[in-house]
Amino acid sequence: MVDRDTGIEAGATTATDGFVSHRNLLFTVAYEMLGSAADAEDVLQETWLRWSNVEHATVRDPRAFLVRITTRQALTRLRALRRRKESYVGPWLPEPLLTAPDVAEDVELAESVSMAMLLVLETLAPTERAVFVLRDVFALDYDEIARAVDKTSPAVRQIAHRARAHVAARRPRERVSAPEARDVLAAFRQAVETGDLTGLLDMIAPDVVLLTDGGGVVRAAVEPVVGVADVIEVLAGLGGARLRPTLVNGHPALVIHREGRIDTIVALRLDAGLITGLYAVRNPEKLSRMDRETAMGR
């Protein structure tokens, strides 16, 4: 039946409303599984195509149904991406995602989409990653997850336990408050902009690691830069650059603009008040979205 006022079929309206109401959840699930906003959007397109062809009157729980479709599509894409990453030039970093202030205020969500956490999730097998995201981030029940990953509930419980232990051993040792992160970022920004890098010695851990993702397209270190001396030498090359603070992946980060476009996104990992990781994304393919997309909210 077509609505006389809108000209839209009633079934199409129901499908659209159901999808839109859960879109943020579906995008976040796909993004946390893939580490790529572009691939997450592609997964959502596939999810919509499948959802639009479903007889919606037979679907008892649209949210669970959509999460199941999204998870399966993301798993398929994740396995393909892992093969592609094997030939990636230099360190691979997640595609940075602008996030609205309300995401940063949600401590659990902010941690789950942080650069540090997404890199930890990269060390999980695809199914482990899906189970961890669905259970520990979104608190789905084991039966629902089992249907999404085509496993039994007991198997999902074992996978969740294994993934949780793996992540716990590699995640930041303690949560850092938003004000503390902003203070560290402000001091870091001032030191880099002024070229007075001696101030960084008190805030950088001795075993700090700098990862620079150029994707083989722009200049970037093809190996991790490790240790205070070498990292500060790299940062000295940014002297005079203007760094603008923003919120990326739920945490304060810095943006470097050159010639009217985003050149680099710099995110920090903090452990016990010290910078232990620096993530510099320079690959233009991973930055183009930030120039044209608005910040993601919940």
Side-chain angles (χ1 to χ4, degrees), residues 135-149:
R135 178 63 184 172
D136 283 56
V137 179
F138 297 103
L140 270 64
D141 64 56
Y142 290 111
D143 289 340
E144 192 173 346
I145 298 170
R147 289 190 290 271
V149 299

Side-chain angles (χ1 to χ4, degrees), residues 2-16:
V2 176
D3 187 294
R4 292 182 179 180
D5 295 325
T6 65
I8 300 175
E9 291 187 18
T13 302
T14 301
T16 302

